[in-house]
Amino acid sequence: MTQPTRPQLTAAGLVFPHPEHGIANLAARLHGSHSPCPPLQHPSLARLEQAQTIILLVIDGMGCQQLAELSPGGWLRQQQTLPLTSVFPSTTTSAITTYLTGLPPSVHTLTGWHLAAPEVDAVVTPLPLTVRHRGRHTPDDPAELARAVYRTPSALTGPRRQIVLQPNYILDSAYSLHHGGSAARQGWASYEDLFRQLDTLRREASAPQFIYAYIPDLDSIMHHKGTTHPRCRQLLQRIEAHCAAFAATLSGRDAVLCISADHGQMDIPPPRLLQLRDFPELAACLRQPLSGEPRVAFCHVKPERLVDFPQLAARLLGHAAWCLPATQLLDEAWFGPGADVNDPRLAARVGDYVLLLKEDWGLLDSPADAPLPKLLGNHGGLSAAEMMVPLIVIDGKEGVASDE
C-alpha cells in the first residue's frame, strides 16, 4: 500500500509543528534551554530576558479556533500577538511537558495520554501515572514507576526563582513533582485565588523570577460538553476577564506576561468515535493496547503481522485513518527536530505503525469490561483546530504588542 507523504498530508489541510513559531520555540526562549528547537523570535519578546518577572499562563485547550468561536470580540483574541503551532501529538501530555522541560516530544518522549513504556513493560498514563496495561515486569512501586517513565529533567531550575501555580488537586502528583524541578509549588482553588497569587508574587518580587501558571478547566469541559457548548463560552469569558484585569495591573511594571495554550480541540460526532473492539481482526494484530490519543494511535504490532497490518488497516479503517509507518514520522521529524537528537526511547514508544485519524474521526481502545467514555471534544491530531494556539504577550513596560 502506498503511504501518503508529509507534503501530501499538508496539502490535505493538516498542520505540522512550525520549525520556528511553535510552542516548543516559545519554551526554548522562556527557559534558555539546550533545546534542538530555535528560541522563538518576535518583537514582543524583545525585553523578555531583562524583565524581573516572567509569567507563562497556559490555558489548556484554548486553541485559536476556540477563541474565534467562543469569544470572537474578547480581550484575548484582540490582544493576540501571533499564532503558534502545538507539538505533535497535540495533547496535554506532550505539550505541557514541552513547556516544563523546554524540549520537544522527540526528546522528552511523552507522546500521549496513553504511553507505551517498554522500560517498565507497560502502557501507562503519564499525567495521573496509572497503568493501563501491565506486563510481568511492571513495577508495583509508584516511585519506581515514576523514575522509569519520567527521565527528562525539568527546565524549572537556574538563576531565576522558579514558581509553579497549579490547581490543588494536581499540585503534588508524581508528574508535577518531577516536572516542577526546583520550583516553589503553590496551589490554587479558584480563579480569584490564582490571580491574587500572581499579583502578590509580582508585587513582592525582589529578584528575577519565572512563574508558570496552569488552568485546565476549559479543556476538561470541552471534552465532556463539546467545544461550542454555552458552558465553554461562559468559562472562557470568566478566564478572559481575569486575564484582562491582571494585565491592566502590569502597566509600567517590570514584568512580561505570556498567555498561551498547549493545544486546541475539535468535536468528534459520537458515530465517528470508533472503538477498536469493533474491529477484532485488527486488534488481534497488536501485542499490546493502542497508545497515544483518540486522534493519533500508536500501534505495537505482533512480529508475524507486521507485513500485512497496513493493508488490513486500510481495508478496515481507510475511510477514517491513514496508516503510516512509525519510521516515517521519525524520519520526517514530526515529534521535533530529527533523528540526530531523538531520545533513544522514542522509537520504542511510538511502535511500528501510526493511525492518524482523518477529518473528524477518532479511535479508542477501551477495555472490554469498561463503559465507553463520552468524549465530544478531542485533540492529538494535526487539524488546524487542534494545532493552532494563540500567544498573547503583555510587556508591562512596553504595553501590548501588536500583531506583526
Side-chain angles (χ1 to χ4, degrees), residues 31-52:
H31 298 305
S33 62
H34 300 292
S35 173
C37 300
L40 179 66
Q41 302 297 321
H42 191 271
S44 66
L45 298 171
R47 217 182 56 82
L48 182 74
E49 288 77 8
Q50 288 73 48
Q52 183 180 58

PDB file of all heavy atoms in Angstrom, residues 31-52:
ATOM      1  N   HIS A  31      13.032  29.347  28.680  1.00  0.00           N
ATOM      2  CA  HIS A  31      13.906  28.642  29.617  1.00  0.00           C
ATOM      3  C   HIS A  31      15.382  28.755  29.274  1.00  0.00           C
ATOM      4  O   HIS A  31      16.225  28.373  30.087  1.00  0.00           O
ATOM      5  CB  HIS A  31      13.520  27.163  29.687  1.00  0.00           C
ATOM      6  CG  HIS A  31      12.134  26.926  30.188  1.00  0.00           C
ATOM      7  ND1 HIS A  31      11.679  27.413  31.394  1.00  0.00           N
ATOM      8  CD2 HIS A  31      11.082  26.267  29.634  1.00  0.00           C
ATOM      9  CE1 HIS A  31      10.418  27.044  31.567  1.00  0.00           C
ATOM     10  NE2 HIS A  31      10.035  26.359  30.516  1.00  0.00           N
ATOM     11  N   GLY A  32      15.708  29.268  28.068  1.00  0.00           N
ATOM     12  CA  GLY A  32      17.109  29.286  27.680  1.00  0.00           C
ATOM     13  C   GLY A  32      17.700  27.891  27.689  1.00  0.00           C
ATOM     14  O   GLY A  32      18.866  27.688  28.018  1.00  0.00           O
ATOM     15  N   SER A  33      16.873  26.900  27.330  1.00  0.00           N
ATOM     16  CA  SER A  33      17.284  25.503  27.446  1.00  0.00           C
ATOM     17  C   SER A  33      18.146  25.089  26.259  1.00  0.00           C
ATOM     18  O   SER A  33      18.270  25.799  25.264  1.00  0.00           O
ATOM     19  CB  SER A  33      16.044  24.604  27.505  1.00  0.00           C
ATOM     20  OG  SER A  33      15.300  24.724  26.312  1.00  0.00           O
ATOM     21  N   HIS A  34      18.711  23.905  26.389  1.00  0.00           N
ATOM     22  CA  HIS A  34      19.513  23.337  25.305  1.00  0.00           C
ATOM     23  C   HIS A  34      18.603  22.555  24.364  1.00  0.00           C
ATOM     24  O   HIS A  34      18.855  21.391  24.051  1.00  0.00           O
ATOM     25  CB  HIS A  34      20.618  22.445  25.874  1.00  0.00           C
ATOM     26  CG  HIS A  34      21.561  23.170  26.780  1.00  0.00           C
ATOM     27  ND1 HIS A  34      22.436  24.143  26.318  1.00  0.00           N
ATOM     28  CD2 HIS A  34      21.768  23.081  28.116  1.00  0.00           C
ATOM     29  CE1 HIS A  34      23.143  24.611  27.331  1.00  0.00           C
ATOM     30  NE2 HIS A  34      22.749  23.998  28.438  1.00  0.00           N
ATOM     31  N   SER A  35      17.567  23.203  23.901  1.00  0.00           N
ATOM     32  CA  SER A  35      16.604  22.554  23.024  1.00  0.00           C
ATOM     33  C   SER A  35      17.136  22.522  21.599  1.00  0.00           C
ATOM     34  O   SER A  35      17.818  23.457  21.157  1.00  0.00           O
ATOM     35  CB  SER A  35      15.278  23.319  23.052  1.00  0.00           C
ATOM     36  OG  SER A  35      14.381  22.812  22.080  1.00  0.00           O
ATOM     37  N   PRO A  36      16.816  21.460  20.838  1.00  0.00           N
ATOM     38  CA  PRO A  36      17.147  21.480  19.417  1.00  0.00           C
ATOM     39  C   PRO A  36      16.270  22.434  18.621  1.00  0.00           C
ATOM     40  O   PRO A  36      16.548  22.701  17.443  1.00  0.00           O
ATOM     41  CB  PRO A  36      16.906  20.023  18.996  1.00  0.00           C
ATOM     42  CG  PRO A  36      15.871  19.523  19.955  1.00  0.00           C
ATOM     43  CD  PRO A  36      16.183  20.204  21.260  1.00  0.00           C
ATOM     44  N   CYS A  37      15.215  22.964  19.243  1.00  0.00           N
ATOM     45  CA  CYS A  37      14.336  23.933  18.587  1.00  0.00           C
ATOM     46  C   CYS A  37      14.880  25.340  18.822  1.00  0.00           C
ATOM     47  O   CYS A  37      15.234  25.697  19.949  1.00  0.00           O
ATOM     48  CB  CYS A  37      12.922  23.851  19.152  1.00  0.00           C
ATOM     49  SG  CYS A  37      12.151  22.233  18.959  1.00  0.00           S
ATOM     50  N   PRO A  38      14.953  26.174  17.779  1.00  0.00           N
ATOM     51  CA  PRO A  38      15.444  27.534  17.986  1.00  0.00           C
ATOM     52  C   PRO A  38      14.488  28.345  18.857  1.00  0.00           C
ATOM     53  O   PRO A  38      13.269  28.165  18.770  1.00  0.00           O
ATOM     54  CB  PRO A  38      15.519  28.109  16.570  1.00  0.00           C
ATOM     55  CG  PRO A  38      14.557  27.297  15.766  1.00  0.00           C
ATOM     56  CD  PRO A  38      14.586  25.920  16.370  1.00  0.00           C
ATOM     57  N   PRO A  39      14.995  29.224  19.705  1.00  0.00           N
ATOM     58  CA  PRO A  39      14.120  30.056  20.535  1.00  0.00           C
ATOM     59  C   PRO A  39      13.224  30.950  19.677  1.00  0.00           C
ATOM     60  O   PRO A  39      13.647  31.450  18.626  1.00  0.00           O
ATOM     61  CB  PRO A  39      15.096  30.893  21.368  1.00  0.00           C
ATOM     62  CG  PRO A  39      16.387  30.142  21.324  1.00  0.00           C
ATOM     63  CD  PRO A  39      16.419  29.454  19.998  1.00  0.00           C
ATOM     64  N   LEU A  40      12.001  31.146  20.123  1.00  0.00           N
ATOM     65  CA  LEU A  40      11.047  31.990  19.413  1.00  0.00           C
ATOM     66  C   LEU A  40      11.550  33.422  19.332  1.00  0.00           C
ATOM     67  O   LEU A  40      11.959  33.998  20.344  1.00  0.00           O
ATOM     68  CB  LEU A  40       9.693  31.949  20.128  1.00  0.00           C
ATOM     69  CG  LEU A  40       8.572  32.794  19.520  1.00  0.00           C
ATOM     70  CD1 LEU A  40       8.174  32.260  18.152  1.00  0.00           C
ATOM     71  CD2 LEU A  40       7.359  32.816  20.454  1.00  0.00           C
ATOM     72  N   GLN A  41      11.493  33.981  18.143  1.00  0.00           N
ATOM     73  CA  GLN A  41      11.888  35.367  17.930  1.00  0.00           C
ATOM     74  C   GLN A  41      10.664  36.181  17.529  1.00  0.00           C
ATOM     75  O   GLN A  41       9.957  35.832  16.585  1.00  0.00           O
ATOM     76  CB  GLN A  41      12.967  35.464  16.835  1.00  0.00           C
ATOM     77  CG  GLN A  41      14.219  34.658  17.106  1.00  0.00           C
ATOM     78  CD  GLN A  41      14.959  35.119  18.347  1.00  0.00           C
ATOM     79  OE1 GLN A  41      15.048  36.321  18.621  1.00  0.00           O
ATOM     80  NE2 GLN A  41      15.484  34.172  19.123  1.00  0.00           N
ATOM     81  N   HIS A  42      10.419  37.261  18.267  1.00  0.00           N
ATOM     82  CA  HIS A  42       9.321  38.173  17.937  1.00  0.00           C
ATOM     83  C   HIS A  42       9.557  39.480  18.679  1.00  0.00           C
ATOM     84  O   HIS A  42      10.048  39.474  19.815  1.00  0.00           O
ATOM     85  CB  HIS A  42       7.974  37.573  18.337  1.00  0.00           C
ATOM     86  CG  HIS A  42       6.807  38.332  17.784  1.00  0.00           C
ATOM     87  ND1 HIS A  42       6.236  39.394  18.453  1.00  0.00           N
ATOM     88  CD2 HIS A  42       6.119  38.205  16.620  1.00  0.00           C
ATOM     89  CE1 HIS A  42       5.236  39.878  17.731  1.00  0.00           C
ATOM     90  NE2 HIS A  42       5.142  39.178  16.611  1.00  0.00           N
ATOM     91  N   PRO A  43       9.224  40.631  18.064  1.00  0.00           N
ATOM     92  CA  PRO A  43       9.463  41.921  18.726  1.00  0.00           C
ATOM     93  C   PRO A  43       8.817  42.038  20.106  1.00  0.00           C
ATOM     94  O   PRO A  43       9.347  42.727  20.978  1.00  0.00           O
ATOM     95  CB  PRO A  43       8.871  42.934  17.746  1.00  0.00           C
ATOM     96  CG  PRO A  43       8.952  42.268  16.407  1.00  0.00           C
ATOM     97  CD  PRO A  43       8.741  40.812  16.674  1.00  0.00           C
ATOM     98  N   SER A  44       7.689  41.365  20.310  1.00  0.00           N
ATOM     99  CA  SER A  44       7.007  41.461  21.604  1.00  0.00           C
ATOM    100  C   SER A  44       7.833  40.862  22.738  1.00  0.00           C
ATOM    101  O   SER A  44       7.599  41.171  23.908  1.00  0.00           O
ATOM    102  CB  SER A  44       5.649  40.762  21.533  1.00  0.00           C
ATOM    103  OG  SER A  44       5.820  39.369  21.333  1.00  0.00           O
ATOM    104  N   LEU A  45       8.805  40.022  22.404  1.00  0.00           N
ATOM    105  CA  LEU A  45       9.627  39.354  23.410  1.00  0.00           C
ATOM    106  C   LEU A  45      10.997  40.013  23.572  1.00  0.00           C
ATOM    107  O   LEU A  45      11.876  39.454  24.238  1.00  0.00           O
ATOM    108  CB  LEU A  45       9.815  37.883  23.029  1.00  0.00           C
ATOM    109  CG  LEU A  45       8.530  37.042  22.946  1.00  0.00           C
ATOM    110  CD1 LEU A  45       8.834  35.673  22.354  1.00  0.00           C
ATOM    111  CD2 LEU A  45       7.875  36.902  24.314  1.00  0.00           C
ATOM    112  N   ALA A  46      11.157  41.193  23.003  1.00  0.00           N
ATOM    113  CA  ALA A  46      12.480  41.825  22.981  1.00  0.00           C
ATOM    114  C   ALA A  46      13.065  42.033  24.371  1.00  0.00           C
ATOM    115  O   ALA A  46      14.284  41.959  24.565  1.00  0.00           O
ATOM    116  CB  ALA A  46      12.402  43.162  22.239  1.00  0.00           C
ATOM    117  N   ARG A  47      12.221  42.277  25.361  1.00  0.00           N
ATOM    118  CA  ARG A  47      12.697  42.597  26.708  1.00  0.00           C
ATOM    119  C   ARG A  47      12.571  41.412  27.663  1.00  0.00           C
ATOM    120  O   ARG A  47      12.791  41.561  28.876  1.00  0.00           O
ATOM    121  CB  ARG A  47      11.898  43.790  27.249  1.00  0.00           C
ATOM    122  CG  ARG A  47      12.705  44.764  28.103  1.00  0.00           C
ATOM    123  CD  ARG A  47      11.803  45.879  28.619  1.00  0.00           C
ATOM    124  NE  ARG A  47      10.657  45.379  29.350  1.00  0.00           N
ATOM    125  CZ  ARG A  47      10.691  45.007  30.633  1.00  0.00           C
ATOM    126  NH1 ARG A  47      11.810  45.101  31.318  1.00  0.00           N
ATOM    127  NH2 ARG A  47       9.599  44.547  31.220  1.00  0.00           N
ATOM    128  N   LEU A  48      12.236  40.246  27.126  1.00  0.00           N
ATOM    129  CA  LEU A  48      11.889  39.110  27.977  1.00  0.00           C
ATOM    130  C   LEU A  48      12.981  38.787  28.990  1.00  0.00           C
ATOM    131  O   LEU A  48      12.718  38.700  30.197  1.00  0.00           O
ATOM    132  CB  LEU A  48      11.602  37.878  27.106  1.00  0.00           C
ATOM    133  CG  LEU A  48      11.182  36.629  27.878  1.00  0.00           C
ATOM    134  CD1 LEU A  48       9.757  36.766  28.376  1.00  0.00           C
ATOM    135  CD2 LEU A  48      11.301  35.387  26.993  1.00  0.00           C
ATOM    136  N   GLU A  49      14.192  38.582  28.511  1.00  0.00           N
ATOM    137  CA  GLU A  49      15.260  38.136  29.400  1.00  0.00           C
ATOM    138  C   GLU A  49      15.644  39.188  30.442  1.00  0.00           C
ATOM    139  O   GLU A  49      16.213  38.849  31.481  1.00  0.00           O
ATOM    140  CB  GLU A  49      16.496  37.736  28.589  1.00  0.00           C
ATOM    141  CG  GLU A  49      16.357  36.434  27.815  1.00  0.00           C
ATOM    142  CD  GLU A  49      15.540  36.548  26.539  1.00  0.00           C
ATOM    143  OE1 GLU A  49      15.196  37.688  26.153  1.00  0.00           O
ATOM    144  OE2 GLU A  49      15.239  35.512  25.926  1.00  0.00           O
ATOM    145  N   GLN A  50      15.332  40.467  30.188  1.00  0.00           N
ATOM    146  CA  GLN A  50      15.692  41.529  31.127  1.00  0.00           C
ATOM    147  C   GLN A  50      14.616  41.770  32.177  1.00  0.00           C
ATOM    148  O   GLN A  50      14.872  42.443  33.185  1.00  0.00           O
ATOM    149  CB  GLN A  50      15.954  42.841  30.373  1.00  0.00           C
ATOM    150  CG  GLN A  50      17.256  42.851  29.578  1.00  0.00           C
ATOM    151  CD  GLN A  50      17.187  41.984  28.340  1.00  0.00           C
ATOM    152  OE1 GLN A  50      16.228  42.071  27.581  1.00  0.00           O
ATOM    153  NE2 GLN A  50      18.192  41.133  28.140  1.00  0.00           N
ATOM    154  N   ALA A  51      13.404  41.254  31.951  1.00  0.00           N
ATOM    155  CA  ALA A  51      12.306  41.524  32.872  1.00  0.00           C
ATOM    156  C   ALA A  51      12.546  40.847  34.221  1.00  0.00           C
ATOM    157  O   ALA A  51      13.055  39.732  34.296  1.00  0.00           O
ATOM    158  CB  ALA A  51      10.985  41.037  32.282  1.00  0.00           C
ATOM    159  N   GLN A  52      12.156  41.537  35.294  1.00  0.00           N
ATOM    160  CA  GLN A  52      12.297  40.937  36.621  1.00  0.00           C
ATOM    161  C   GLN A  52      11.373  39.740  36.779  1.00  0.00           C
ATOM    162  O   GLN A  52      11.762  38.704  37.324  1.00  0.00           O
ATOM    163  CB  GLN A  52      12.010  41.969  37.711  1.00  0.00           C
ATOM    164  CG  GLN A  52      12.222  41.400  39.123  1.00  0.00           C
ATOM    165  CD  GLN A  52      11.940  42.419  40.197  1.00  0.00           C
ATOM    166  OE1 GLN A  52      10.846  42.958  40.275  1.00  0.00           O
ATOM    167  NE2 GLN A  52      12.951  42.717  41.025  1.00  0.00           N
TER     168      GLN A  52
END
